[in-house]
């Protein structure tokens, strides 16, 4: 093959094929997950997801809320600064930043864990053993993990919103010296209940993407312990990219008209 | 937090690995190679994450500035946010995800396949040969990716504001530079170097001391990602407070 066609194949064709095969995997996971929900496994995986991811979500959201507040106060110093940073956090933070970071934390913690667990099962031929015994590994391994992500991520989004707002309030009051009542009022004024439910809905979609990408990368692991590391790595990066793109699309669909006014 | 117990080990290991690397000519050549390979691996993920986030930022801040009738402030605010926070922050997070997990997985694999022990037995210093070049490579990659992220972030915010949401093009172009100074750009690059160094140190240490076979490699990569992301976000906050002061320094 010539260099040009090789380059086209590597840079253009292979990524497209990867995306398509992930989409196919996701579709199959969706069908299997809806047909065979194992509540026991789902609950076990879900509680593990919540226990391990929520500390990460809280740390990330707190730091982001604090950072956003300081940055917003600095940016808005011309139009009164201070309390208006509450408006920015209440609006931009709750709509975009906190859900996105919650999804990133779930991808980093649980997505990576799912990929490395399934990858280790694959390279030690446990998944092949299941197939030999006539047990569908999709049903047993993939479906409950996707369910756990779909159910757990919205909860992480709620935690992330709360922690982010608390972080913003604390930094606003303690570091920037904004009046307590005024800061709280601006924060609460700009949070609409609609934005919170949208965040939960968004969390479920992002969770589905994380679950599918992570289990797919783990499921298709090849090449020993090196392969497990590579699968973990890919799962995190690819689910993060999927989450960002999906988040942008959802924002455009939900808020696009509002911006044009 | 179990991670806090690792802090002394990370500091001791990273410092000795970097010192060993700086003393050896071959390890320095490896460093350049690692920097190149890490940059190539992270470039597409950084672009694919910072692009959408920049556009999202433009969309939401446009709805906010239109609410107050201060659309004129949009471009400087966007530029300042991208240069000060978004580009260094998100490029660092993607370096954690891609390069951090990658470094931990590579070193972890070498450890469980006993390649590191083999180097030791042959009398070669594995810290200088495999760990140090990756730490320094990550520190070089940080600012390169940050520069790319700044360009992509501002461009996608510009594209979203002007072409999707009808903001006057001239207004954006003329006011954009009001929000940032050259000093801001250098501070942003400096932050990226610090982040790269931190990510490299933590991931190399976690990978180097992997135990427990293939599952252990996955676990090391996983722990690395979580620890580095949290570390980066808190360091970002501390650095901002140190550089811009407690009130963040006015933008306009």
């Amino acid at each position: 093959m010539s260099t040009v066609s090789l380059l086209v194949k590597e840079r253009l064709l292979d990524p497209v094929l990867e995306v398509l095969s992930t989409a196919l995997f996701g579709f199959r996971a969706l069908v299997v997950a809806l047909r065979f929900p194992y509540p026991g496994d789902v609950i076990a995986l879900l509680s593990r997801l919540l226990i391990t991811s929520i500390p990460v979500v809280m740390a990330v959201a707190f730091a982001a809320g604090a950072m956003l507040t300081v940055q917003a106060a600095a940016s808005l110093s011309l139009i009164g600064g201070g309390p208006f940073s509450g408006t920015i956090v209440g609006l931009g933070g709750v709509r975009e930043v906190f859900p996105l970071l919650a999804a990133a934390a779930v991808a980093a913690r649980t997505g990576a864990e799912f990929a490395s667990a399934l990858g280790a099962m694959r390279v030690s031929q446990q998944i092949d053993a299941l197939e030999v015994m006539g047990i569908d590994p999709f049903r047993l391994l993939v479906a409950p993990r996707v369910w756990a992500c779909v159910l757990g991520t919205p909860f992480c989004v709620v935690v992330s919103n709360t922690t982010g707002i608390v972080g913003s309030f604390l930094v606003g009051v303690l570091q920037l010296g904004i009046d307590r009542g005024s800061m709280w009022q601006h924060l609460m004024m700009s949070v609409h209940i609609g934005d919170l439910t949208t965040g939960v809905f968004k969390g479920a979609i992002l969770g589905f993407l994380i679950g599918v990408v992570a289990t797919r990368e783990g499921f298709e692991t090849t090449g020993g312990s090196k392969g497990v590391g590579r699968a973990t790595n890919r799962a995190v990066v690819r689910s993060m990219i999927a989450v960002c793109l999906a988040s942008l699309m959802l924002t455009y669909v939900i808020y696009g008209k509002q911006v044009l006014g | 937090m179990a991670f806090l117990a690792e802090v002394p080990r990370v500091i001791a290991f990273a410092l000795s690995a970097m010192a060993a690397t700086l003393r050896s000519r071959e390890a320095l050549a490896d460093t350049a190679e690692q920097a190149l390979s890490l940059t190539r691996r992270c470039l597409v993920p950084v672009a694919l994450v910072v692009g959408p986030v920049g556009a999202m930022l433009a969309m939401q801040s446009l709805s906010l500035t239109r609410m107050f009738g201060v659309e004129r402030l949009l471009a400087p605010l966007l530029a300042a946010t991208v240069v000060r926070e978004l580009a260094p922050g998100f490029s660092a997070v993607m370096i954690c995800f891609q390069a951090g997990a990658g470094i931990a997985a590579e070193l972890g694999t070498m450890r469980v396949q006993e390649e590191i022990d083999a180097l030791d037995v042959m009398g070669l210093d594995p810290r200088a040969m495999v760990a140090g070049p990756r730490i320094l490579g990550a520190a070089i990659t940080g600012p390169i990716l940050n520069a790319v992220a700044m360009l992509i972030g501002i461009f996608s915010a510009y594209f979203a504001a002007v072409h999707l949401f009808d903001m006057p093009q001239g207004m954006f172009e003329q006011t954009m530079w009001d929000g940032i100074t050259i000093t801001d750009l250098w501070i942003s690059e400096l932050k990226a170097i610090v982040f790269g160094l931190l990510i490299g140190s933590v991931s190399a240490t976690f990978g180097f001391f992997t135990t427990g076979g293939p599952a252990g490699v996955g676990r090391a990569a996983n722990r690395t990602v979580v620890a580095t992301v949290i570390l980066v976000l808190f360091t970002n906050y501390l650095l901002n407070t140190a550089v811009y002061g407690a009130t963040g320094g006015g933008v306009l």
Side-chain angles (χ1 to χ4, degrees), chain B residues 9-10 29 57 59-60 64-65 81 95 100 104 111 124 151 165 203:
Chain B
R9 178 153 85 169
V10 170
L57 185 78
M59 233 145 100
Q60 295 291 7
L64 199 74
T65 43
T81 315
I95 296 175
R111 169 64 76 186
L124 298 166
L151 282 176
F165 296 105
S203 53

Side-chain angles (χ1 to χ4, degrees), chain B:
Chain B
M1 293 292 279
F3 293 125
L4 288 182
E6 305 265 4
V7 172
R9 178 153 85 169
V10 170
I11 294 173
F13 179 77
L15 286 181
S16 72
M18 281 189 281
T21 305
L22 291 176
R23 275 200 300 270
S24 144
R25 189 177 289 271
E26 290 131 49
L28 282 176
D30 277 354
T31 303
E33 214 170 280
Q34 283 296 333
L36 197 66
S37 126
L38 290 175
T39 309
R40 275 174 56 187
R41 274 190 285 171
C42 294
L43 207 55
V44 173
V46 166
L48 285 178
V49 166
V50 175
V53 173
M56 234 149 59
L57 185 78
M59 233 145 100
Q60 295 291 7
S61 9
L62 205 56
S63 82
L64 199 74
T65 43
R66 281 190 181 156
M67 200 158 81
F68 287 111
V70 285
E71 205 176 323
R72 196 179 53 76
L73 291 181
L74 180 80
L77 293 191
L78 279 178
T81 315
V82 168
V83 168
R84 285 188 184 184
E85 303 292 347
L86 198 99
F90 273 89
S91 61
V93 166
M94 287 324 281
I95 296 175
C96 296
F97 282 9
Q98 176 74 289
I103 291 172
E106 278 168 16
L107 295 188
T109 311
M110 290 184 195
R111 169 64 76 186
V112 303
Q113 289 176 350
E114 298 175 1
E115 288 170 30
I116 290 179
D117 305 83
L119 286 176
D120 243 344
V121 169
M122 288 190 282
L124 298 166
D125 185 357
R127 290 171 308 168
M129 293 202 60
V130 298
R134 288 180 169 77
I135 300 178
L136 293 173
I140 298 172
T141 302
I144 300 176
L145 290 170
N146 181 36
V148 176
M150 287 195 277
L151 282 176
I152 291 176
I154 290 184
F155 182 77
S156 79
Y158 167 82
F159 184 82
V162 172
H163 292 283
L164 295 180
F165 296 105
D166 304 331
M167 186 184 171
Q169 186 182 358
M171 189 199 274
F172 195 106
E173 285 167 3
Q174 278 162 22
T175 54
M176 194 189 93
W177 283 97
D178 294 347
I180 39 179
T181 58
I182 298 297
T183 325
D184 283 328
L185 295 178
W186 285 116
I187 291 173
S188 176
E189 289 291 71
L190 210 66
K191 263 165 67 170
I193 296 177
V194 175
F195 292 157
L197 211 56
L198 287 173
I199 297 167
S201 307
V202 172
S203 53
T205 313
F206 282 13
F208 198 82
F209 296 104
T210 301
T211 50
V217 175
R219 210 161 41 233
N222 194 346
R223 287 177 65 210
T224 303
V225 170
V226 173
T228 47
V229 167
I230 295 178
L231 187 67
V232 159
L233 287 175
F234 274 98
T235 315
N236 186 26
Y237 174 72
L238 292 179
L239 281 179
N240 276 343
T241 313
V243 172
Y244 291 110
T247 53
V251 168
L252 289 166

Side-chain angles (χ1 to χ4, degrees), chain A residues 74-97:
Chain A
S75 304
L76 296 178
S77 50
L78 204 69
I79 56 165
F84 285 113
S85 59
T87 315
I88 299 234
V89 173
L91 206 85
V94 167
R95 280 185 184 176
E96 302 297 341
V97 180

